Amino acid sequence: MVEIKSPGLRATTPVTPAARPVDLSSIPDVSLADVGGCLRRSKQAAALHDDLLKRVADGSAPLSQRDVEGLLARAGAETTDVKTVLAYHAKHSTRAFDDGALRLLSTLDFSDVAAAHVEELKRQNKAQIEGHQRFLDVDRKDFTRVRADDAQKLQRAHDEKQRLQKKSAFELEAEVAAQAQQTGLSEKEATVLLLHRKRFSSS
């Protein structure tokens, strides 16, 4: 799972089973990354998360069954995100709920939360595959371009070799002398160039 970095999102230490007054085994284990996704999508989930952290930190009155029922009734399209945050805190911040709220949470159907988690994993997997494919496409284009450039260089070298092979030794010397005069090559440089061309044309 990806690491979620957010000022309002921090892991809390789950309480031990003995400290829980209600059996919470029916509530799914929600990861901090799942919660992070909910906070980005849902303002209600973000507000609930902040409220629960505050209740644990300063010892405010815990949420009651009526509070949780109200949260779920108002959640609307954001119900799954709100339930995800509730599931996380039910396991990690139990003191934020009273016994009635915990009993209610233990009876809720969290199948939508599990389905959302699976969809998020699929989305991440798809994004990784698409990113890898983009990398391969770029790499393939670069390879094709380099191969085309190399082929052009080889063709130019071949053409130049054929051109030089058609010239006599006298013509090669005259060509190098003219080039030396145009470019300002010294006599030594012109001699080296002539030797290089003779060797290249005969190889």
Side-chain angles (χ1 to χ4, degrees):
M1 299 296 287
V2 295
E3 180 183 0
I4 304 298
K5 295 181 178 178
S6 169
L9 183 61
R10 59 180 182 274
T12 54
T13 304
V15 297
T16 60
R20 291 171 174 155
V22 178
D23 180 12
L24 304 178
S25 59
S26 61
I27 300 175
D29 290 317
V30 175
S31 73
L32 198 58
D34 289 327
V35 173
C38 295
L39 302 191
R40 290 191 295 272
R41 289 188 299 268
S42 167
K43 291 183 178 179
Q44 291 194 54
L48 173 60
H49 177 73
D50 290 341
D51 179 51
L52 291 171
L53 288 176
K54 183 175 182 296
R55 287 173 187 272
V56 172
D58 63 15
S60 300
L63 289 181
S64 66
Q65 177 177 336
R66 181 174 295 182
D67 292 329
V68 173
E69 289 172 342
L71 284 168
L72 296 174
R74 294 189 299 273
E78 300 177 23
T79 297
T80 299
D81 291 327
V82 169
K83 284 170 68 176
T84 301
V85 173
L86 287 170
Y88 177 82
H89 285 284
K91 292 289 185 75
H92 293 79
S93 310
T94 308
R95 293 192 306 277
F97 305 92
D98 68 13
D99 291 358
L102 290 175
R103 276 192 292 272
L104 172 62
L105 291 174
S106 69
T107 63
L108 289 181
D109 177 9
F110 284 97
S111 57
D112 57 333
V113 172
H117 173 68
V118 171
E119 287 303 313
E120 177 62 15
L121 289 178
K122 288 181 180 178
R123 186 196 66 76
Q124 291 179 10
N125 186 54
K126 181 181 178 183
Q128 289 177 347
I129 291 174
E130 289 175 348
H132 182 63
Q133 188 60 52
R134 283 194 297 272
F135 173 80
L136 291 178
D137 290 343
V138 170
D139 191 54
R140 190 178 297 112
K141 287 178 182 177
D142 288 344
F143 174 75
T144 302
R145 177 181 52 76
V146 169
R147 187 170 59 181
D149 290 346
D150 289 345
Q152 289 176 357
K153 289 176 183 177
L154 286 173
Q155 186 60 47
R156 285 195 296 270
H158 177 72
D159 294 344
E160 177 65 7
K161 183 176 181 179
Q162 285 191 325
R163 185 185 73 81
L164 293 174
Q165 286 174 340
K166 292 177 182 178
K167 294 183 178 293
S168 66
F170 176 77
E171 287 174 321
L172 279 176
E173 291 177 10
E175 183 180 277
V176 170
Q179 186 176 350
Q181 189 174 15
Q182 290 175 356
T183 59
L185 291 176
S186 67
E187 183 178 346
K188 182 178 179 181
E189 290 171 331
T191 302
V192 171
L193 178 60
L194 177 61
L195 290 172
H196 172 72
R197 289 191 176 177
K198 285 181 178 179
R199 187 164 51 249
F200 174 68
S201 63
S202 63
S203 62

